[in-house]
Amino acid sequence: MVAGVAALVSCVAPVRAQERDAELTLLRGAAEEGDSAAQFTLANHYYRGLGVPQDYDKALALYGKAADQGLAAAENRLGMLYERGLGVPQSYGRAMTLYRKAAAQGNALAQFNLGMLYETGKGGRLDYSQALEWFRKAAEQSEPDAEEEVGYFFQRGFLGARDYEKAREWYKRAAEHGCSNAQNQLGYMAQLGLGVEQNYVQALDWYYKAAAQGNPNAQENIGYLYHHGMGVETDYVQAETWYYKAAGQGNSNAENQLGYMNQYGLGIPPDLSQALAWYRMAADQGNKTAIENLKTLSEHLQAEDAELWKAASAEAQQAADAQAARRVRIANLQRQIVDLEMDARLEESLAESGAAVSAQAMGSAKLRKEADKYRAEAARLRAELAGLDVLAASSAPAQ
């Protein structure tokens, strides 16, 4: 029986490889004939290194050809590359021009990206009014991140008085569409009683929804509630576990809290080297509380025993270096997952718009199949990411 299964697997693998080769051959042919959807899809393959060797130059050339034909998805992708400086010189001005072209065609992701440039002023012009206008356009198409941004504008009162009721309405829309930032914000409003009665249990429920998607702020918030027994029994093990998850994504508040727990032995044996390491990582990000905690603990150790301080400081640096490496791995995986999910949405948007329905090589069914491939790869990376969230022993760095 085992031999039979092995033989079957050995047969399936070459068949799948042949299918991929045939699909790529068809895709290349369509791209060479000027099919913009095929050019965009093939560019994604080269950009991700999926089924072909990764090649940024080929990806950029193909994105450019598709964008020259007015394909909004390609214009948006090129805008992102210029905004991030990936494979091209960073240029917010060029990014804004490309986003605007795609946004004018109704591309929701481009509208959101354009709004972000106006909100942050990275395009050379800080303009909350323009930002909200573009966020609303994208939100009207049920773009979750845009819905969350509209809610945030009302919560903060960027263009008038704060309006917690409207903020919650937009956050709920975004949360229902899977936006983890909106879910976290709803938890935050419930925790503090902003526009609603304070409710720690409801806050924790929203935080868990956001944390399930890897939101670091929600993870830190869950840790904080367990740490201080707010809406739940105080549980230092749970607190440390959630802080560790958030710290892996660079959340400085979680790093500072881990330093505090290690310094005072909350649920774990006191470990001053680990405390120094976590304080140092948070302080390097400008966390004011961590800066003060690092200063106080360092001065205490130096005054108590110079040799002890020297040894603890060396161990702290090793621990900080190990955590920094873990953080880089997590950030890289998360970036790939987000981008793959975006690629899947873009492929589906092409299928829905009928941009390539007339092209035999890239009909709607094939575009949706491409989207499925991206999501499958994203799922594989999520499994790898989950292993980096495990707290093996205390808050010791992952090896």
Side-chain angles (χ1 to χ4, degrees):
M1 178 64 179
V2 174
V5 171
L8 178 62
V9 171
S10 66
C11 291
V12 169
V15 169
R16 288 178 177 170
Q18 290 172 5
E19 289 178 351
R20 286 196 298 270
D21 290 343
E23 288 175 356
L24 282 170
T25 298
L26 188 64
L27 196 57
R28 287 192 180 97
E32 289 172 0
E33 291 175 4
D35 184 333
S36 61
Q39 291 166 343
F40 175 77
T41 301
L42 185 58
N44 285 339
H45 280 263
Y46 281 117
Y47 186 70
R48 305 286 172 217
L50 295 177
V52 295
Q54 191 173 52
D55 191 323
Y56 289 132
D57 290 338
K58 287 183 179 179
L60 284 166
L62 286 162
Y63 284 139
K65 288 180 179 180
D68 287 343
Q69 296 188 64
L71 189 70
E75 291 169 338
N76 177 68
R77 171 49 55 78
L78 278 177
M80 292 172 61
L81 298 182
Y82 275 103
E83 181 181 352
R84 300 176 185 178
L86 298 177
V88 292
Q90 188 181 53
S91 172
Y92 292 127
R94 181 63 177 150
M96 180 170 277
T97 297
L98 287 160
Y99 288 151
R100 191 178 293 281
K101 286 182 178 180
Q105 297 186 62
N107 185 283
L109 289 173
Q111 291 168 342
F112 170 76
N113 288 334
L114 186 56
M116 288 302 298
L117 287 184
Y118 278 117
E119 182 182 353
T120 59
K122 289 181 178 178
R125 179 184 169 193
L126 181 66
D127 190 326
Y128 288 143
S129 180
Q130 279 287 311
L132 183 57
E133 180 181 337
W134 287 109
F135 287 146
R136 278 188 178 278
K137 288 180 184 294
E140 287 168 2
Q141 299 187 64
S142 299
E143 171 56 40
D145 290 336
E147 293 171 331
E148 187 270 334
E149 280 293 334
V150 174
Y152 188 67
F153 267 59
F154 280 115
Q155 181 185 342
R156 295 298 302 275
F158 285 154
L159 292 172
R162 296 173 186 261
D163 189 328
Y164 293 133
E165 184 176 348
K166 285 187 177 179
R168 283 176 56 79
E169 288 176 5
W170 281 102
Y171 283 151
K172 283 185 176 180
R173 281 182 55 169
E176 289 169 359
H177 292 141
C179 178
S180 68
N181 285 332
Q183 293 164 345
N184 178 67
Q185 287 299 107
L186 285 168
Y188 181 77
M189 294 183 79
Q191 179 181 338
L192 297 186
L194 300 179
V196 292
E197 185 177 347
Q198 190 176 51
N199 189 324
Y200 292 131
V201 174
Q202 189 178 85
L204 193 61
D205 183 57
W206 281 116
Y207 288 150
Y208 270 123
K209 285 182 172 66
Q213 298 189 66
N215 188 291
N217 295 326
Q219 292 168 343
E220 189 263 328
N221 287 332
I222 294 173
Y224 187 85
L225 293 183
Y226 275 111
H227 185 169
H228 298 282
M230 301 167 74
V232 291
E233 293 292 328
T234 298
D235 188 329
Y236 292 137
V237 173
Q238 282 288 331
E240 187 191 18
T241 297
W242 285 104
Y243 284 151
Y244 188 77
K245 290 175 181 288
Q249 298 186 63
N251 184 292
S252 67
N253 288 328
E255 291 169 340
N256 176 68
Q257 295 287 8
L258 284 170
Y260 187 87
M261 296 185 79
N262 275 276
Q263 180 177 353
Y264 294 101
L266 301 181
I268 52 178
D271 189 328
L272 298 184
S273 296
Q274 284 290 325
L276 283 172
W278 287 115
Y279 285 150
R280 186 172 296 168
M281 284 185 282
D284 286 345
Q285 296 187 70
N287 188 293
K288 293 181 180 179
T289 304
I291 291 172
E292 185 60 34
N293 287 339
L294 178 62
K295 179 176 180 291
T296 301
L297 180 56
S298 297
E299 290 175 349
H300 171 73
L301 288 174
Q302 287 174 311
E304 183 177 289
D305 187 328
E307 288 301 315
L308 174 63
W309 156 249
K310 186 176 181 180
S313 185
E315 288 181 23
Q317 189 58 55
Q318 291 180 350
D321 289 344
Q323 286 296 341
R326 167 177 169 260
R327 183 187 299 169
V328 168
R329 289 177 62 196
I330 288 174
N332 286 338
L333 286 170
Q334 288 178 325
R335 188 178 302 110
Q336 291 178 66
I337 290 168
V338 169
D339 286 350
L340 283 164
E341 290 287 359
M342 181 178 293
D343 282 345
R345 289 163 63 192
L346 288 171
E347 292 287 348
E348 287 173 341
S349 72
L350 291 178
E352 291 166 1
S353 69
V357 172
S358 60
Q360 184 178 359
M362 291 304 295
S364 296
K366 287 185 173 62
L367 289 168
R368 290 194 172 92
K369 187 176 181 180
E370 286 291 327
D372 290 340
K373 290 178 185 177
Y374 297 137
R375 290 211 166 94
E377 177 65 8
R380 185 187 71 78
L381 294 179
R382 280 197 186 90
E384 184 178 341
L385 180 63
L388 296 175
D389 272 345
V390 177
L391 185 59
S394 182
S395 53
Q399 300 297 322

